[in-house]
Amino acid sequence: MTNRIAFQGEPGAYSHQACHAARPGLEALPCASFEDVIDAVREGRAEQAMLPVENTTYGRVADIHRLLPESGLHIVDEAFVRVHINLLAVPGAEVSDIKEAWSHLVLLPQCARFLRDHGIKGRVSPDNARAARDVADWGDKSKAALASELAGEIYGLDVLARHIEDHDTNTTRFLIMAREPDMTRRADHMMTTFVFRVRNIPAALYKAMGGFATNGVNMTKLESYMVDGSFTATQFYADIEGHPDDRNVQLALEELEYFTSMLEILGTYPADPMRD
């Protein structure tokens, strides 16, 4: 079977672009939902999953932190991908022809200046790659899509304007997940991700975090979210620098475990160079 990496979205989506960039040797498998991506790996139809977890412009990807611990998969890598937005249209069209630009709701505000300067109305599409496909199907020179260059290649559209986003820092962080964990130390700069729930004692979270400070472990992310539909059942998601075999990480995790009712390591993996 051909090695595959599953992603959520249609061909040409930014998750598809991430697959090309981070795993060029794997065939990208489009899936309708994040749950379908996870199932594709669990069922053996794909070797790995490419899942977005956060974006510098619109923050955390909804529901993804809830899905990760329940997935049964393990984080084996991360990938930071710059989101460059391009104006795509049918061959022969020019920027002056464009009256409407279609894309996902979160992308439209990121190109507000360009759209305003060129008198183009933004229109909402369920997905940026879907927008590119629709523009190709319509064959109308007055309609364009805001999407990746990859989407333009797939659907035969011309790039009328490149990198039209208002800010040049828009980046999405993806986690690459697999059925089996890889706990080997395969880079000098390693990251470890885990989830936990604190015990029901006063100042439990404060005490649990103390071990990371006293042992010099840098925590790059700590987020809380409700579980089981309860306001009192809170789970925490954390990223730290280091490997579980590092002595300071060992000590910090041991102290954390004392104050938690659940602690699960989701994976340890090389830090993406864009972190630095």
Side-chain angles (χ1 to χ4, degrees):
M1 185 187 73
T2 302
N3 287 339
R4 294 174 173 174
I5 182 167
F7 70 94
Q8 186 276 327
E10 298 198 24
Y14 286 101
S15 291
H16 189 184
Q17 176 186 323
C19 293
H20 272 226
R23 292 294 188 270
L26 299 183
E27 177 187 342
L29 175 67
C31 298
S33 68
F34 293 136
E35 289 88 348
D36 291 338
V37 172
I38 291 167
D39 287 343
V41 178
R42 286 198 298 212
E43 296 167 5
R45 290 180 284 115
E47 296 299 312
Q48 295 184 336
M50 179 72 72
L51 293 171
V53 290
E54 57 193 326
N55 176 272
T56 54
T57 300
Y58 56 84
R60 185 172 75 183
V61 176
D63 288 339
I64 200 67
H65 290 73
R66 174 183 59 81
L67 290 173
L68 295 184
E70 301 171 359
S71 70
L73 304 182
H74 306 271
I75 304 168
V76 295
D77 211 347
E78 69 174 355
F80 286 70
V81 176
R82 276 284 290 111
V83 178
H84 288 303
I85 306 173
N86 310 278
L87 187 72
L88 309 177
V90 295
E94 299 180 358
V95 174
S96 58
D97 297 323
I98 305 303
K99 305 302 180 187
E100 298 178 347
W102 295 74
S103 195
H104 191 279
L105 180 63
V106 300
L107 257 64
L108 291 172
Q110 298 175 36
C111 303
R113 185 181 303 123
F114 179 91
L115 297 179
R116 183 177 62 252
D117 290 347
H118 291 86
I120 300 172
K121 293 183 178 179
R123 300 297 190 194
V124 176
S125 176
D127 180 85
N128 57 80
R130 170 66 180 272
R133 189 183 75 180
D134 287 343
V135 166
D137 290 343
W138 293 330
D140 185 340
K141 289 185 178 181
S142 71
K143 293 180 170 57
L146 303 175
S148 67
E149 289 193 54
L150 177 61
E153 294 172 11
I154 291 173
Y155 300 108
L157 301 176
D158 285 349
V159 180
L160 303 189
R162 285 182 168 82
H163 304 182
I164 62 173
E165 59 270 18
D166 292 346
H167 304 287
D168 61 2
T169 58
N170 190 356
T171 302
T172 299
R173 179 188 178 218
F174 293 85
L175 295 177
I176 301 174
M177 306 190 73
R179 287 186 297 277
E180 300 297 328
D182 184 352
M183 302 299 290
T184 60
R185 189 190 302 274
R186 47 202 186 276
D188 291 334
H189 187 185
M190 294 290 290
M191 302 292 299
T192 298
T193 294
F194 54 90
V195 292
F196 65 94
R197 297 185 195 181
V198 294
R199 293 165 54 196
N200 188 21
I201 58 176
L205 180 60
Y206 173 80
K207 295 173 182 176
M209 294 294 95
F212 296 94
T214 56
N215 288 288
V217 177
N218 186 29
M219 180 171 287
T220 60
K221 177 170 289 294
L222 177 65
E223 293 194 358
S224 64
Y225 55 101
M226 291 185 297
V227 292
D228 301 329
S230 170
F231 285 103
T232 58
T234 302
Q235 191 155 290
F236 294 87
Y237 169 101
D239 295 328
I240 60 171
E241 292 184 342
H243 187 280
D245 289 342
D246 296 339
R247 184 57 179 160
N248 62 334
V249 174
Q250 284 181 347
L251 293 171
L253 290 176
E254 287 173 4
E255 190 164 341
L256 172 65
E257 193 167 14
Y258 180 78
F259 294 105
T260 59
S261 58
M262 183 276 285
L263 171 61
E264 179 183 354
I265 293 179
L266 299 181
T268 185
Y269 47 92
D272 186 279
M274 284 186 67
R275 279 188 174 273
D276 301 325

